[in-house]
């Protein structure tokens, strides 16, 4: 995984955590769900990159 990809995935994960936290604090279920989805998306990307790295 390239450094750029790692940074982008970490930023997406962090952004998702922030959204989820704000959603919980404001009782905004939609924002909370968006945050959880962003985190899941970042984790899937990381897993895919880890698989690619394993075959290099």
């Amino acid at each position: 995984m390239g450094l750029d990809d790692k940074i982008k995935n970490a930023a997406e994960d962090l952004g998702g955590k922030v959204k989820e936290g704000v959603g919980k604090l404001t009782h905004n279920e939609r924002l909370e769900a968006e945050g959880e989805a962003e985190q899941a998306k970042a984790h899937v990307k990381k897993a895919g990159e880890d698989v690619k790295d394993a075959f290099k």
Side-chain angles (χ1 to χ4, degrees), residues 21-35:
V22 170
K24 284 182 180 182
L25 287 173
T26 61
H27 304 289
N28 184 333
E29 291 178 4
R30 188 176 133 247
L31 189 60
E32 189 176 341
E34 285 178 13

PDB file of all heavy atoms in Angstrom, residues 21-35:
ATOM      1  N   GLY A  21     -19.411  10.366  15.894  1.00  0.00           N
ATOM      2  CA  GLY A  21     -19.440  10.996  17.212  1.00  0.00           C
ATOM      3  C   GLY A  21     -20.370  12.196  17.266  1.00  0.00           C
ATOM      4  O   GLY A  21     -21.148  12.351  18.214  1.00  0.00           O
ATOM      5  N   VAL A  22     -20.322  13.038  16.245  1.00  0.00           N
ATOM      6  CA  VAL A  22     -21.205  14.195  16.197  1.00  0.00           C
ATOM      7  C   VAL A  22     -22.656  13.732  16.093  1.00  0.00           C
ATOM      8  O   VAL A  22     -23.546  14.293  16.742  1.00  0.00           O
ATOM      9  CB  VAL A  22     -20.830  15.132  15.016  1.00  0.00           C
ATOM     10  CG1 VAL A  22     -21.882  16.204  14.810  1.00  0.00           C
ATOM     11  CG2 VAL A  22     -19.468  15.760  15.253  1.00  0.00           C
ATOM     12  N   GLY A  23     -22.887  12.696  15.294  1.00  0.00           N
ATOM     13  CA  GLY A  23     -24.229  12.157  15.165  1.00  0.00           C
ATOM     14  C   GLY A  23     -24.768  11.647  16.492  1.00  0.00           C
ATOM     15  O   GLY A  23     -25.938  11.864  16.827  1.00  0.00           O
ATOM     16  N   LYS A  24     -23.913  10.991  17.265  1.00  0.00           N
ATOM     17  CA  LYS A  24     -24.333  10.491  18.576  1.00  0.00           C
ATOM     18  C   LYS A  24     -24.635  11.649  19.531  1.00  0.00           C
ATOM     19  O   LYS A  24     -25.617  11.618  20.264  1.00  0.00           O
ATOM     20  CB  LYS A  24     -23.258   9.586  19.183  1.00  0.00           C
ATOM     21  CG  LYS A  24     -23.205   8.218  18.562  1.00  0.00           C
ATOM     22  CD  LYS A  24     -22.154   7.346  19.218  1.00  0.00           C
ATOM     23  CE  LYS A  24     -22.141   5.969  18.563  1.00  0.00           C
ATOM     24  NZ  LYS A  24     -21.173   5.072  19.177  1.00  0.00           N
ATOM     25  N   LEU A  25     -23.770  12.664  19.507  1.00  0.00           N
ATOM     26  CA  LEU A  25     -23.957  13.796  20.411  1.00  0.00           C
ATOM     27  C   LEU A  25     -25.228  14.583  20.093  1.00  0.00           C
ATOM     28  O   LEU A  25     -25.887  15.091  21.002  1.00  0.00           O
ATOM     29  CB  LEU A  25     -22.754  14.740  20.343  1.00  0.00           C
ATOM     30  CG  LEU A  25     -21.473  14.251  21.011  1.00  0.00           C
ATOM     31  CD1 LEU A  25     -20.333  15.209  20.723  1.00  0.00           C
ATOM     32  CD2 LEU A  25     -21.674  14.117  22.513  1.00  0.00           C
ATOM     33  N   THR A  26     -25.537  14.694  18.815  1.00  0.00           N
ATOM     34  CA  THR A  26     -26.695  15.488  18.397  1.00  0.00           C
ATOM     35  C   THR A  26     -27.941  14.633  18.187  1.00  0.00           C
ATOM     36  O   THR A  26     -28.966  15.149  17.764  1.00  0.00           O
ATOM     37  CB  THR A  26     -26.380  16.254  17.096  1.00  0.00           C
ATOM     38  OG1 THR A  26     -26.075  15.316  16.061  1.00  0.00           O
ATOM     39  CG2 THR A  26     -25.233  17.225  17.286  1.00  0.00           C
ATOM     40  N   HIS A  27     -27.818  13.347  18.441  1.00  0.00           N
ATOM     41  CA  HIS A  27     -28.930  12.400  18.242  1.00  0.00           C
ATOM     42  C   HIS A  27     -29.406  12.405  16.793  1.00  0.00           C
ATOM     43  O   HIS A  27     -30.591  12.260  16.516  1.00  0.00           O
ATOM     44  CB  HIS A  27     -30.092  12.693  19.202  1.00  0.00           C
ATOM     45  CG  HIS A  27     -29.684  12.680  20.631  1.00  0.00           C
ATOM     46  ND1 HIS A  27     -29.344  11.513  21.291  1.00  0.00           N
ATOM     47  CD2 HIS A  27     -29.515  13.685  21.526  1.00  0.00           C
ATOM     48  CE1 HIS A  27     -29.008  11.810  22.537  1.00  0.00           C
ATOM     49  NE2 HIS A  27     -29.097  13.116  22.704  1.00  0.00           N
ATOM     50  N   ASN A  28     -28.441  12.557  15.870  1.00  0.00           N
ATOM     51  CA  ASN A  28     -28.729  12.561  14.441  1.00  0.00           C
ATOM     52  C   ASN A  28     -28.349  11.176  13.899  1.00  0.00           C
ATOM     53  O   ASN A  28     -27.182  10.897  13.628  1.00  0.00           O
ATOM     54  CB  ASN A  28     -27.931  13.665  13.747  1.00  0.00           C
ATOM     55  CG  ASN A  28     -28.229  13.805  12.274  1.00  0.00           C
ATOM     56  OD1 ASN A  28     -28.631  12.850  11.618  1.00  0.00           O
ATOM     57  ND2 ASN A  28     -28.016  15.001  11.760  1.00  0.00           N
ATOM     58  N   GLU A  29     -29.344  10.327  13.752  1.00  0.00           N
ATOM     59  CA  GLU A  29     -29.085   8.948  13.346  1.00  0.00           C
ATOM     60  C   GLU A  29     -28.505   8.867  11.935  1.00  0.00           C
ATOM     61  O   GLU A  29     -27.689   7.991  11.644  1.00  0.00           O
ATOM     62  CB  GLU A  29     -30.367   8.123  13.435  1.00  0.00           C
ATOM     63  CG  GLU A  29     -30.828   7.908  14.869  1.00  0.00           C
ATOM     64  CD  GLU A  29     -32.120   7.128  14.955  1.00  0.00           C
ATOM     65  OE1 GLU A  29     -32.640   6.673  13.925  1.00  0.00           O
ATOM     66  OE2 GLU A  29     -32.622   6.979  16.088  1.00  0.00           O
ATOM     67  N   ARG A  30     -28.933   9.767  11.044  1.00  0.00           N
ATOM     68  CA  ARG A  30     -28.426   9.749   9.676  1.00  0.00           C
ATOM     69  C   ARG A  30     -26.929  10.053   9.640  1.00  0.00           C
ATOM     70  O   ARG A  30     -26.158   9.369   8.969  1.00  0.00           O
ATOM     71  CB  ARG A  30     -29.187  10.765   8.817  1.00  0.00           C
ATOM     72  CG  ARG A  30     -28.847  10.657   7.347  1.00  0.00           C
ATOM     73  CD  ARG A  30     -29.701  11.618   6.496  1.00  0.00           C
ATOM     74  NE  ARG A  30     -28.805  12.303   5.599  1.00  0.00           N
ATOM     75  CZ  ARG A  30     -28.525  13.585   5.626  1.00  0.00           C
ATOM     76  NH1 ARG A  30     -29.122  14.376   6.469  1.00  0.00           N
ATOM     77  NH2 ARG A  30     -27.674  14.110   4.789  1.00  0.00           N
ATOM     78  N   LEU A  31     -26.512  11.068  10.374  1.00  0.00           N
ATOM     79  CA  LEU A  31     -25.096  11.436  10.420  1.00  0.00           C
ATOM     80  C   LEU A  31     -24.277  10.325  11.057  1.00  0.00           C
ATOM     81  O   LEU A  31     -23.180  10.005  10.588  1.00  0.00           O
ATOM     82  CB  LEU A  31     -24.924  12.742  11.202  1.00  0.00           C
ATOM     83  CG  LEU A  31     -23.554  13.392  11.169  1.00  0.00           C
ATOM     84  CD1 LEU A  31     -23.144  13.734   9.738  1.00  0.00           C
ATOM     85  CD2 LEU A  31     -23.544  14.648  12.019  1.00  0.00           C
ATOM     86  N   GLU A  32     -24.809   9.722  12.094  1.00  0.00           N
ATOM     87  CA  GLU A  32     -24.131   8.608  12.762  1.00  0.00           C
ATOM     88  C   GLU A  32     -23.944   7.438  11.790  1.00  0.00           C
ATOM     89  O   GLU A  32     -22.860   6.847  11.710  1.00  0.00           O
ATOM     90  CB  GLU A  32     -24.955   8.167  13.966  1.00  0.00           C
ATOM     91  CG  GLU A  32     -24.276   7.174  14.853  1.00  0.00           C
ATOM     92  CD  GLU A  32     -25.096   6.840  16.085  1.00  0.00           C
ATOM     93  OE1 GLU A  32     -26.003   7.599  16.458  1.00  0.00           O
ATOM     94  OE2 GLU A  32     -24.812   5.782  16.675  1.00  0.00           O
ATOM     95  N   ALA A  33     -24.987   7.136  11.028  1.00  0.00           N
ATOM     96  CA  ALA A  33     -24.908   6.036  10.053  1.00  0.00           C
ATOM     97  C   ALA A  33     -23.913   6.356   8.937  1.00  0.00           C
ATOM     98  O   ALA A  33     -23.177   5.475   8.490  1.00  0.00           O
ATOM     99  CB  ALA A  33     -26.288   5.759   9.467  1.00  0.00           C
ATOM    100  N   GLU A  34     -23.881   7.608   8.492  1.00  0.00           N
ATOM    101  CA  GLU A  34     -22.909   8.001   7.468  1.00  0.00           C
ATOM    102  C   GLU A  34     -21.487   7.810   7.981  1.00  0.00           C
ATOM    103  O   GLU A  34     -20.604   7.344   7.246  1.00  0.00           O
ATOM    104  CB  GLU A  34     -23.112   9.461   7.067  1.00  0.00           C
ATOM    105  CG  GLU A  34     -24.305   9.713   6.192  1.00  0.00           C
ATOM    106  CD  GLU A  34     -24.495  11.187   5.859  1.00  0.00           C
ATOM    107  OE1 GLU A  34     -23.570  11.997   6.108  1.00  0.00           O
ATOM    108  OE2 GLU A  34     -25.575  11.532   5.359  1.00  0.00           O
ATOM    109  N   GLY A  35     -21.257   8.167   9.227  1.00  0.00           N
ATOM    110  CA  GLY A  35     -19.929   8.001   9.827  1.00  0.00           C
ATOM    111  C   GLY A  35     -19.528   6.545   9.902  1.00  0.00           C
ATOM    112  O   GLY A  35     -18.390   6.180   9.581  1.00  0.00           O
TER     113      GLY A  35
END
